[in-house]
Amino acid sequence: MSSVDMNQLYSDIILEHNQNQMNKRALDKFTLQEHGHNPSCGDDITLQADIEGGIVKDAAYTGHGCAISQASADMMIDLIKGKSVKEALRLVNLFLDMIKREVTDDDELEELEDAISLKNISNMPARVKCAVLAWHTLKEALSDDKEASEQ
């Protein structure tokens, strides 16, 4: 695939996740809640997760923001559902390393699934904060949650 095709494919993935509302809801039952805000553009999300026995049983977000922040939150939730807290944190760190260009190997990044479509956002510094908002919010929540991180 040429880079033009890849950019279109990635754009389509981002649009699709931005329009997907399945993960954009309040959870009836959650053990973790964290608020994330990006003052530079007004993106604002509240992340909720139901963690049982060290596993992310369910996760969702509410809030508003640009297409990139909303799509990124949706991709992240798709990725972490059913994973252990330890694995979810590892994936969050992998995503953040990809954005910082510390990990660039596509084979290694493949496990980020659709979130790999945000790889080139690092070329647009103004959009980076939008892409990482949900991931930073989750990292903060999981790091603060002693019970979850000890399992």
Side-chain angles (χ1 to χ4, degrees):
M1 269 191 156
S2 73
S3 63
V4 174
D5 293 343
M6 288 304 284
N7 287 342
Q8 186 55 51
L9 174 69
Y10 285 168
S11 297
D12 290 347
I13 291 170
I14 291 167
L15 283 173
E16 190 180 306
H17 278 278
N18 179 48
Q19 290 164 354
N20 178 10
Q21 300 291 305
M22 279 178 48
N23 293 325
K24 190 173 183 175
R25 60 193 163 87
L27 293 181
D28 294 330
K29 178 179 178 260
F30 57 91
T31 56
L32 196 67
Q33 178 169 300
E34 190 78 33
H35 178 248
H37 181 68
N38 178 357
S40 65
C41 68
D43 292 341
D44 194 275
I45 66 162
T46 298
L47 196 58
Q48 294 176 325
D50 179 22
I51 297 170
E52 288 176 44
I55 303 292
V56 180
K57 295 281 185 202
D58 200 4
Y61 74 100
T62 54
H64 56 85
C66 68
I68 290 171
S69 77
Q70 301 290 287
S72 187
D74 188 68
M75 291 174 195
M76 181 190 75
I77 288 168
D78 282 350
L79 194 62
I80 64 166
K81 271 194 220 175
K83 304 273 195 312
S84 69
V85 168
K86 191 175 177 182
E87 177 68 1
L89 264 173
R90 190 185 67 74
L91 290 165
V92 167
N93 287 323
L94 179 61
F95 178 84
L96 296 172
D97 287 347
M98 172 185 77
I99 298 296
K100 291 185 279 191
R101 293 190 182 141
E102 289 172 13
V103 176
T104 54
D105 179 3
D106 282 349
D107 291 339
E108 208 174 324
L109 297 173
E110 217 170 69
E111 60 183 327
L112 291 174
E113 297 173 9
D114 284 355
I116 198 172
S117 65
L118 294 166
K119 182 180 182 182
N120 292 329
I121 215 86
S122 54
N123 300 330
M124 298 178 275
R127 311 308 308 175
V128 167
K129 285 182 179 168
C130 308
V132 300
L133 177 64
W135 303 78
H136 275 305
T137 304
L138 179 66
K139 186 175 181 175
E140 204 170 294
L142 293 177
S143 302
D144 289 350
D145 186 11
K146 293 291 172 254
E147 183 190 327
S149 57
E150 285 169 6
Q151 292 181 359

